[in-house]
Amino acid sequence: MGNEQSQIPGIEIEQKAIEVSDFWAQHNATVNNLQNGSKLSIFVGDIFLNEPFWVPQTPLERFNKNLMLYRHPSIIRYISSWQKANKFFLAVEEVIPLSHLLAHMTTIEICLGLYSILKALSFLHENADASHNNVCLASIFVTKEGTWKLGGLEYLCRYKHLTAEYLQKSRSHRYGKAIDSNEGMHVQNNVGRKDFVDTFAFCIFAIEILKGKNSDMDILNTFKELCTKVVQEPNVLLRPKLISLLEHELFKHKFIFIHSYLIELPLKADREKTEFFTNLKRELEELDEQVVASQLGRLLVSRMVLLNKTARNCLLPYILIPKNGENSALFSDSVFRKYIAPQLLNIFCVRDAQIRLLLLEYFCHFIDSFTKEELQLQILPELLVGIKDTNNELVAVTLHTLADLVPVLGADVVIGGKRAKLFNDGRPKHHNSSRKSSKNPQKFNSMVGQNLPIIGPESSATSSSVELNTSPHELPERPRPDGEEGETSTEEIEQSAEEDVDIWDDWDNENVEGIGEMTLIEDITDTHYLHVNDIEEVRLSEANSNKIMNGSKTKKIIDITELDIKNQTKMELEQNEIDFFEDMEPVIRTNNKFVINTTIGKTGDLVSSKLSVNTGDVSEEGWGDDWD
């Protein structure tokens, strides 16, 4: 039935068994080479047995063979099998024995489970002409979604092979309470029906698991009475077929009806689907939230539901968004994390554009339901595949989703690669628009130290400004000129100049013209006086400057950084020098007239410099020692 070469690559089988029977042990296993670390169940049994009944196949090998032959949604799903040394391995979907979970199940969950087992047995009887022959608690398993699955197929045989001898030989290994004492006689009498073996066993099984389950459901009590009557009926022909039990009122319960309808959804007409999904949200609200999520969660986000137009409009907005107190969603955050989020995690691997677009549409609502590891290792790789697709809509939505992941995982994880600070904060600093008196020596020193330009109406738009309200100890950073090496670009300098123009515009609103030259001259003349000849020389210099600005390639430049007020030296004009910042030269308006006191100092000497002051009468009220 198998060999070492068919063993699943990368499988790790846990040493501790979760269930042990007479013929095998059940273990949990993980397939590590799969992206999500798929979980499986492994049945391990001996190859050689001394009992004649199991020759030439062991019970586990027969179980394996029948799983491969009889496929049904309510029968355990076969995965693989192989032989190693003297052991036989059977890999199936991840399941847990029903005996481990039955004590914690609700009545509605048990009823749904009975319905699933009935469907599986009806399939064997009506479609496969086969009898299970060992329906009991030990042969029922439960998937991680809560669905009951029929197992224990080692005693299954076709009707034509069901003889009294076969039943007698296997009797010692089957569940004794579920065996009809007269089954051998019924087979020999050839009554024309051979489904009585499973009918008797199923009714015994239903009575046992419903025992002690108190319920106010009258239909549940009615079903118990029916099962009791079946096992007590001596005439096999009077016992109902199992397929007829599916029509019992118990299995018409709203929850079971919804479960069955979702499974058979592909068989329904479009009109029936529209009516079903239109009313489904209201019907689910009347059921227990935990039961709905655990039993119907996988079906509610199945492919057929996600692609149905009515379901997308009337149902999915209440399923794919966790309840937060402000919406009318079906599942709370804790229930959503436990049952719905794992289903969505698997759906992210589906390469269907419409399904992926739907998931991304609601992704921002359930992103917190995943762990960081799930987002980084499972969802992020799938999103990175999406941005390479030829579907422009899918790429656009995927990029939005990646932006939602940045606050959670960080940009380093989402976009990868090395990052650097390529953008600066270009917001203007706050400035005080009120003009303070510049007679404060400390304030004036700060302004002179920053190479304050003389601002006029014609030059304010092109000159780089400084912040008047900056603290003397916090000089503002000046933008680098074009061509200088560094991180500041030409665009940043132009932006800074435009921002500074806005700052000086506040001063223009006070109707003050030539504020730069007035401030400088007024501060100097508080304690010192300029000679009339110096004023005239300033005006002549201004006229020469205007001529230079009108076409001459040479001009006289005064470098304010060379002004030494403390030593009272005369400023020298530099001749025949080309100014590369000619367009930024401030222009002194000639129409501004100032009244300058021409009083002569104590020494009788006239001040010779245009901007120097008399050294003979410097008092501490002027500059003081702060200039040092």
Side-chain angles (χ1 to χ4, degrees), residues 107 111 210 213-226 248-251 253:
T107 302
C111 292
L210 291 175
K213 294 292 181 181
N214 299 322
S215 175
D216 54 358
M217 298 170 56
D218 295 335
I219 54 176
L220 181 62
N221 297 326
T222 303
F223 184 76
K224 290 181 183 179
E225 295 175 358
L226 175 61
H248 191 273
E249 193 65 24
L250 175 64
F251 301 117
H253 188 275

Side-chain angles (χ1 to χ4, degrees), residues 24 53-54 57-72 74-76 117 119-135 139 150-163 166-167 170 173-174 194 197-198:
W24 63 70
F53 180 76
W54 301 114
Q57 293 178 329
T58 64
L60 188 56
E61 289 176 318
R62 289 191 181 184
F63 187 9
N64 172 76
K65 178 182 177 180
N66 289 326
L67 281 183
M68 296 174 65
L69 289 176
Y70 304 103
R71 304 294 185 96
H72 187 270
S74 296
I75 297 178
I76 293 179
I117 301 303
K119 297 278 284 186
L121 292 174
S122 297
F123 163 76
L124 292 176
H125 293 173
E126 304 300 326
N127 301 95
D129 290 331
S131 177
H132 184 277
N133 298 325
N134 193 36
V135 179
S139 61
L150 181 63
L153 305 186
E154 62 272 16
Y155 300 101
L156 183 146
C157 68
R158 301 289 297 274
Y159 279 160
K160 62 183 181 180
H161 298 142
L162 184 61
T163 63
Y166 179 85
L167 294 175
S170 62
H173 302 295
R174 293 185 288 142
K194 294 187 177 181
V197 177
D198 289 344

Side-chain angles (χ1 to χ4, degrees), residues 371-382:
T371 63
K372 288 188 176 181
E373 290 75 15
E374 292 171 339
L375 291 173
Q376 180 175 349
L377 302 179
Q378 299 185 50
I379 293 182
L380 179 59
E382 291 296 334

Side-chain angles (χ1 to χ4, degrees), residues 579-607:
D579 184 14
F580 293 96
F581 299 92
E582 181 178 278
D583 294 338
M584 299 178 63
E585 178 67 26
V587 179
I588 303 176
R589 296 179 58 90
T590 59
N591 57 352
N592 292 331
K593 301 182 182 299
F594 306 96
V595 179
I596 305 299
N597 195 331
T598 58
T599 306
I600 301 174
K602 293 181 181 181
T603 59
D605 297 330
L606 295 179
V607 180

Side-chain angles (χ1 to χ4, degrees), residues 149 398 513 618:
K149 295 293 186 78
T398 302
E513 297 182 357
V618 178

Side-chain angles (χ1 to χ4, degrees), residues 223-415:
F223 184 76
K224 290 181 183 179
E225 295 175 358
L226 175 61
C227 291
T228 304
K229 183 179 179 179
V230 170
V231 298
Q232 294 175 349
E233 178 58 54
N235 188 349
V236 176
L237 297 178
L238 296 179
R239 296 176 183 176
K241 289 187 174 183
L242 289 181
I243 192 172
S244 65
L245 295 181
L246 292 173
E247 303 300 324
H248 191 273
E249 193 65 24
L250 175 64
F251 301 117
K252 299 298 181 181
H253 188 275
K254 182 183 300 183
F255 183 86
I256 299 176
F257 170 77
I258 294 174
H259 183 275
S260 177
Y261 198 100
L262 290 173
I263 291 178
E264 301 171 357
L265 192 62
L267 306 177
K268 305 298 181 180
D270 291 340
R271 181 182 57 82
E272 294 177 339
K273 294 178 185 178
T274 301
E275 182 180 358
F276 175 75
F277 286 119
T278 301
N279 303 320
L280 183 56
K281 190 258 181 180
R282 175 173 49 82
E283 294 178 353
L284 292 177
E285 287 179 328
E286 300 175 0
L287 302 174
D288 182 73
E289 173 192 11
Q290 185 84 12
V291 175
V292 171
S294 61
Q295 300 294 326
L296 301 179
R298 178 179 59 87
L299 297 173
L300 290 173
V301 293
S302 65
R303 177 185 178 86
M304 296 300 298
V305 176
L306 295 177
L307 294 179
N308 186 274
K309 182 178 180 180
T310 306
R312 297 179 74 160
N313 295 330
C314 302
L315 178 64
L316 293 181
Y318 306 100
I319 293 179
L320 298 181
I321 301 178
K323 186 184 301 182
N324 56 16
E326 300 178 358
N327 55 34
S328 56
L330 290 173
F331 306 119
S332 61
D333 185 66
S334 59
V335 173
F336 190 96
R337 288 173 183 264
K338 185 175 181 180
Y339 298 105
I340 306 300
Q343 301 297 334
L344 298 180
L345 202 60
N346 294 331
I347 298 175
F348 261 98
C349 299
V350 176
R351 300 292 173 83
D352 186 295
Q354 297 305 315
I355 292 179
R356 176 63 65 85
L357 287 172
L358 178 65
L359 292 179
L360 298 185
E361 178 182 353
Y362 294 95
F363 185 80
C364 61
H365 298 286
F366 56 73
I367 184 175
D368 295 331
S369 300
F370 299 111
T371 63
K372 288 188 176 181
E373 290 75 15
E374 292 171 339
L375 291 173
Q376 180 175 349
L377 302 179
Q378 299 185 50
I379 293 182
L380 179 59
E382 291 296 334
L383 294 178
L384 296 179
V385 172
I387 62 176
K388 299 178 181 179
D389 195 80
T390 56
N391 188 325
N392 290 336
E393 181 183 4
L394 178 60
V395 173
V397 177
T398 302
L399 291 174
H400 282 286
T401 305
L402 290 174
D404 294 334
L405 283 178
V406 171
V408 181
L409 301 180
D412 291 336
V413 175
V414 176
I415 65 175

Side-chain angles (χ1 to χ4, degrees), residues 458 542-555 579 581-587:
E458 298 178 1
E542 175 188 303
N544 293 334
S545 299
N546 289 335
K547 292 180 180 179
I548 294 173
M549 297 291 291
N550 290 332
S552 176
K553 294 185 179 180
T554 61
K555 63 179 294 184
D579 184 14
F581 299 92
E582 181 178 278
D583 294 338
M584 299 178 63
E585 178 67 26
V587 179

